[in-house]
């Protein structure tokens, strides 16, 4: 695996990790559930504006912004699990759980994501990937661990439930990851934002002052919207378990940024956690998976280049620009080359 292949997942982790300390600065002026709703709304609205600008600049040649009907149940399930149920369980659990315990428990998401990908969706897992995942999760646990902080209470179980919801979201989103990443992230942000903001306002919360409102929307656009679009691209390139592992380094980025905002000397555990996470990323980058495999005939639409998997003619005048998107057919193919569980390599072993 190369840094270029892993870059979208690591960039998504960096943006999401940065959003945590930035959003924390707003918690005094915006109630938690309302803040979650505004962050999602900011992501959806911001990406919606980018989609409109992209479409206006591309002109008539732009493909329709749609999700195939047969894939909408996957997208709806991802939105309900990760955008509605997950935040609701988290906010309810946080009411009776310490911040330290919550931070520690949130690392379970990466474990659940990988387990569902490996057990339910039969995604390939090599020794390097499993060991790398364990190192990254161990680093995350160490990063948020405080002696005596973990209590198995009802609130803690709710947070674990939220992690399970986000893990389901990650795996279901992979099913639609071949579609426009910005569109998928926009839809998820808008639906989750409307649901969470509506629940908060119905519960008696009030919209904050304009500066805080604008800050929440901008943080949401970058930390949730752009981050999620990159996450979808990573799912397309790497599969769910590998993307989830890279995304699990987000807390490390968050802590580093928090040190910059609120200067303090890092504890020794921080350096050990950073080394563990770096080891995990290195193990993933060292993965080499190659064997003879077959591709069944299929027809779909996604952004692509004319590589070994895309040797087809066009039924329209093509200007030669790549990548480009259109409905295309893959003929049956058997070959051997290094690969990962991306859009075209979801085969069994």
């Amino acid at each position: 695996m190369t840094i270029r292949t892993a870059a979208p997942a690591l960039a998504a982790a960096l943006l999401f990790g940065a959003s945590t300390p930035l959003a924390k600065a707003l918690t005094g002026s915006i109630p938690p559930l309302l803040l979650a709703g505004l962050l999602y709304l900011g992501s959806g609205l911001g990406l919606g504006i980018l989609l409109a600008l992209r479409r206006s600049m591309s002109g008539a040649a732009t493909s329709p912004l749609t999700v195939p009907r047969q894939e909408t149940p996957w997208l709806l399930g991802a939105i309900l699990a990760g955008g509605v149920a997950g935040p609701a369980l988290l906010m309810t659990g946080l009411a009776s759980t310490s911040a330290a315990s919550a931070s520690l428990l949130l690392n379970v998401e990466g474990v659940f994501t990988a387990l569902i990908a490996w057990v339910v969706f039969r995604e390939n897992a090599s020794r390097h990937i499993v060991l790398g995942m364990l190192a990254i999760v161990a680093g995350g646990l160490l990063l948020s661990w405080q002696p005596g902080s973990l209590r198995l209470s009802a609130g803690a179980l709710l947070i674990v439930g939220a992690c399970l919801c986000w893990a389901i979201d990650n795996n279901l989103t992979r099913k639609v990851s071949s579609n426009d990443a910005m569109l998928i992230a926009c839809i998820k942000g808008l639906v989750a934002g409307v649901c969470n903001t509506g629940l908060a306002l119905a519960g008696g919360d009030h919209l904050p002052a304009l500066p805080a409102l604008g800050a929440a929307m901008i943080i949401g656009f970058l930390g949730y919207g752009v981050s999620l679009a990159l996450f979808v691209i990573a799912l397309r390139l790497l599969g769910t378990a590998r993307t989830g592992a890279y995304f699990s380094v987000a807390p490390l980025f968050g802590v580093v940024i928090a040190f910059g905002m609120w200067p303090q000397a890092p504890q020794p555990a921080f350096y050990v956690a950073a080394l563990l996470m770096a080891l995990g990323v290195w193990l993933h980058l060292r993965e080499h998976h190659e064997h003879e495999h077959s591709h069944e005939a299929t027809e779909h639409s996604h952004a692509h280049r004319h590589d070994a998997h895309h040797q087809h003619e066009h039924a329209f005048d093509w200007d030669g620009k790549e990548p480009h998107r259109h409905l295309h057919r893959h003929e049956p193919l058997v070959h051997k080359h290094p690969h990962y569980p991306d859009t075209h390599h979801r085969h069994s072993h």
Side-chain angles (χ1 to χ4, degrees):
M1 191 180 300
T2 65
I3 286 289
R4 181 178 179 180
T5 307
L10 291 172
L14 172 60
L15 288 171
F16 184 74
S19 72
T20 302
L22 294 174
K24 180 178 174 62
L26 297 174
T27 54
S29 56
I30 306 177
L33 184 58
L34 180 58
L35 177 57
L38 293 177
L39 291 170
Y40 278 115
L41 269 182
S43 73
L45 292 174
L47 292 176
I49 293 172
L50 285 185
L51 284 169
L53 289 174
R54 190 185 70 184
R55 192 166 185 81
S56 65
M57 294 174 64
S58 300
T62 306
S63 303
L65 287 174
T66 59
V67 176
R69 181 176 299 179
Q70 66 271 20
E71 295 183 11
T72 53
W74 299 114
L75 178 58
L76 180 60
I79 292 171
L80 291 176
V84 180
L89 288 172
L90 176 64
M91 296 306 165
T92 306
L94 283 175
S96 58
T97 308
S98 69
S101 295
S103 298
L104 189 62
L105 290 166
L106 286 174
N107 290 284
V108 177
E109 179 189 345
V111 178
F112 282 160
T113 296
L115 288 176
I116 293 173
W118 294 334
V119 176
V120 178
F121 293 99
R122 303 296 181 182
E123 188 173 296
N124 174 62
S126 67
R127 180 180 61 183
H128 280 95
I129 294 302
V130 174
L131 291 176
M133 183 73 198
L134 291 174
I136 291 171
V137 171
L141 292 172
L142 185 60
L143 196 64
S144 52
W145 175 260
Q146 290 186 11
S149 65
L150 186 58
R151 300 284 189 275
L152 192 60
S153 61
L157 291 176
L158 288 172
I159 294 174
V160 171
C163 291
L164 178 60
C165 287
W166 287 322
I168 294 171
D169 173 12
N170 294 338
N171 280 276
L172 295 183
T173 300
R174 185 197 177 186
K175 291 288 189 177
V176 297
S177 61
S178 61
N179 295 286
D180 190 296
M182 199 181 298
L183 175 64
I184 298 300
C186 176
I187 294 173
K188 292 180 73 173
L190 287 175
V191 175
V194 169
C195 289
N196 290 311
T197 303
L199 287 172
L201 294 177
D205 292 341
H206 300 282
L207 291 176
L210 190 59
L213 178 65
M217 302 286 266
I218 293 172
I219 293 170
F221 166 61
L222 295 172
Y224 284 53
V226 178
S227 175
L228 179 54
L230 290 167
F231 188 88
V232 173
I233 292 172
L235 288 173
R236 186 188 306 161
L237 296 174
L238 299 172
T240 313
R242 290 158 179 79
T243 300
Y246 282 123
F247 196 72
S248 295
V249 305
L252 179 64
F253 291 134
V255 170
V256 171
I257 292 170
F259 285 154
M261 295 175 63
W262 299 285
Q264 57 180 299
Q267 297 296 318
F270 168 79
Y271 297 105
V272 179
L275 286 174
L276 283 169
M277 289 185 166
L279 173 63
V281 171
W282 177 74
L283 285 169
H284 279 225
L285 291 174
R286 287 191 70 236
E287 181 192 18
H288 183 85
H289 182 71
E290 181 175 359
H291 61 89
E292 186 176 85
H293 56 277
S294 61
H295 297 269
E296 297 180 357
T298 186
E299 192 173 72
H300 59 182
S301 175
H302 64 91
H304 62 277
R305 299 178 183 274
H306 283 195
D307 54 20
H309 298 93
H310 297 91
Q311 297 296 321
H312 52 255
E313 300 295 329
H314 294 88
F316 56 88
D317 292 332
W318 178 42
D319 58 9
K321 291 183 179 179
E322 292 185 328
H324 61 298
R325 174 187 295 270
H326 62 88
L327 185 67
H328 58 278
R329 178 177 173 78
H330 293 268
E331 299 299 335
L333 175 66
V334 177
H335 61 175
K336 178 181 178 180
H337 65 92
H339 60 277
Y340 314 103
D342 58 23
T343 301
H344 298 98
H345 297 92
R346 297 178 181 177
H347 51 256
S348 58
H349 291 78

